[in-house]
Amino acid sequence: MSQSDAPLFGLMDLVRAAFSLPLFSLFLAAVIVGAILIFATRPQVALRPAPGGSAEVTRSVQTRYRIERVALAITAVLVIVVFAVENVLRGYVLHLGELLPWWRFATAIFVAALGLGVVAAIEVRGATPAEVPFLSGARRTWTSFGPRVGLIGGVVVLVAILVTSIAAGLAAYADSRGDSAWLEIPIPNEETIDPLRLHFYGWTYGVPVLICAALLAAATWGVLHANASRPYIRPEAVAAEKDARRVVARDAVRISTAAMLLGLAGAWRLIASAGTASGLVIDGKNDGAPYEVIWRYAELAAAAGWAAPVLEVLAFALLLLVAVRIRAPKVPAEAEAAVADVEVEVAR
């Protein structure tokens, strides 16, 4: 290798090391979201009032939905903060993985489920009766205001978590304590040598993740159902309220999907670190040459390892898009929905 090639390999190693850190994914997501907001906030220059209603109607709609919008933003912030703090403490300070191994991949999912549960409770308790009784006509379900692409994406991520947890659990090895958190790779043509055992995403991690994912799915459904089923304030506010409910549903789906993506990315990272082992050196054996240790699903494990940072960047970007709503300006519902649509199209 020439001296000119050395910096290239050094740079590649640095990039690989950076992408191995979830907090670097958070940094990339912050840069991406910052760029999105720079372009997406431009339509706010010319704001239009909510259709079919006066300024009083607009203010009443904003007041009615402001609490849950803020609750959703706080939930997104908490998911990011708790995930980051747990990652730093587990990796560099307290080694929480040894104390609470199941918490490692369920952190973001559990926090999101708790936050969305609070939002659903706010919607139920805040379901005030209509000021002017009327029939809205169209039947509303939990999918009425949910983003179609977002809902499909969330279901796909949920299925990916289910498949990953079950498949990895079946492939995992349980030690003498019953911890299913190891991958056992036999040495080819060497029955006298004990198999190589590596830390792995088994049932010890998968079961809590599946339980928390089920709780998150239920909480998300609760938010979407309560968001759709509560009555409108008055006939002239229907259009504005529909816009506000679409924003609430979109943010809830974003939080749910992002939390599951973080859990899935962490699982894929661990699977890749264990499943891509390539050699084992044993003193006094094989004339000092390494034994080839190859897991039969090593290619899938390697692909999962490369995909994990992408999932994390997408997850953090979705959470940040919701989190910035904490200090969002008070704008008419229709104008705000137009800006939200721009964000969705850019995020895709």
Side-chain angles (χ1 to χ4, degrees):
M1 179 181 66
S2 64
Q3 292 183 353
S4 61
D5 294 332
L8 178 60
F9 280 94
L11 178 60
M12 292 301 296
D13 291 338
L14 181 61
V15 171
R16 188 180 297 108
F19 277 99
S20 67
L21 302 174
L23 294 185
F24 181 74
S25 299
L26 175 58
F27 168 76
L28 286 181
V31 173
I32 294 173
V33 170
I36 290 175
L37 294 179
I38 290 174
F39 294 100
T41 52
R42 290 182 180 178
Q44 291 185 2
V45 175
L47 298 178
R48 295 177 298 175
S54 63
E56 180 183 356
V57 172
T58 300
R59 285 194 298 270
S60 64
V61 171
Q62 291 173 343
T63 301
R64 186 184 197 190
Y65 293 92
R66 184 174 299 128
I67 296 178
E68 57 207 67
R69 292 283 302 280
V70 172
L72 286 166
I74 292 176
T75 299
V77 172
L78 285 177
V79 172
I80 296 174
V81 171
V82 174
F83 179 87
V85 170
E86 188 276 338
N87 188 267
V88 172
L89 292 180
R90 174 175 47 79
Y92 305 99
V93 183
L94 300 179
H95 300 290
L96 294 179
E98 299 178 0
L99 301 177
L100 297 172
W102 60 270
W103 182 256
R104 178 175 177 180
F105 305 106
T107 303
I109 301 175
F110 178 78
V111 174
L114 187 62
L116 292 183
V118 172
V119 174
I122 292 174
E123 290 177 334
V124 172
R125 293 180 62 86
T128 54
E131 297 176 5
V132 180
F134 70 100
L135 296 176
S136 59
R139 180 175 177 270
R140 288 169 283 158
T141 66
W142 65 277
T143 62
S144 296
F145 302 102
R148 304 301 182 190
V149 175
L151 289 173
I152 294 174
V155 172
V156 170
V157 176
L158 180 60
V159 172
I161 286 182
L162 180 65
V163 172
T164 298
S165 298
I166 294 178
L170 294 175
Y173 164 80
D175 60 17
S176 58
R177 297 181 302 175
D179 291 336
S180 178
W182 305 94
L183 178 64
E184 189 177 78
I185 306 177
I187 309 299
N189 303 320
E190 293 290 345
E191 298 179 358
T192 60
I193 300 177
D194 289 338
L196 184 64
R197 294 183 177 91
L198 302 170
H199 197 204
F200 190 67
Y201 180 80
W203 293 119
T204 299
Y205 299 115
V207 170
V209 167
L210 290 176
I211 293 175
C212 290
L215 293 176
L216 178 57
T220 305
W221 177 87
V223 171
L224 298 178
H225 174 73
N227 183 50
S229 61
R230 53 188 166 171
Y232 294 115
I233 300 175
R234 60 181 81 168
E236 60 269 26
V238 170
E241 283 204 72
K242 284 183 177 180
D243 290 336
R245 295 188 188 197
R246 291 189 185 98
V247 173
V248 170
R250 181 209 62 200
D251 286 352
V253 172
R254 280 182 175 179
I255 292 173
S256 178
T257 303
M260 291 188 293
L261 282 172
L262 289 176
L264 183 62
W268 284 6
R269 281 186 182 277
L270 183 55
I271 291 173
S273 66
T276 54
S278 59
L280 173 66
V281 177
I282 302 178
D283 293 337
K285 297 286 187 178
N286 202 30
D287 297 326
Y291 290 97
E292 290 189 2
V293 181
I294 301 176
W295 188 36
R296 56 180 176 176
Y297 301 113
E299 294 181 355
L300 290 177
W306 284 105
V310 178
L311 299 186
E312 288 173 344
V313 171
L314 177 58
F316 285 127
L318 291 174
L319 291 172
L320 290 171
L321 285 173
V322 179
V324 296
R325 296 292 178 180
I326 288 181
R327 301 187 63 181
K330 300 177 182 179
V331 298
E334 182 185 7
E336 186 172 359
V339 174
D341 291 338
V342 173
E343 292 181 3
V344 171
E345 292 299 327
V346 176
R348 289 179 185 173

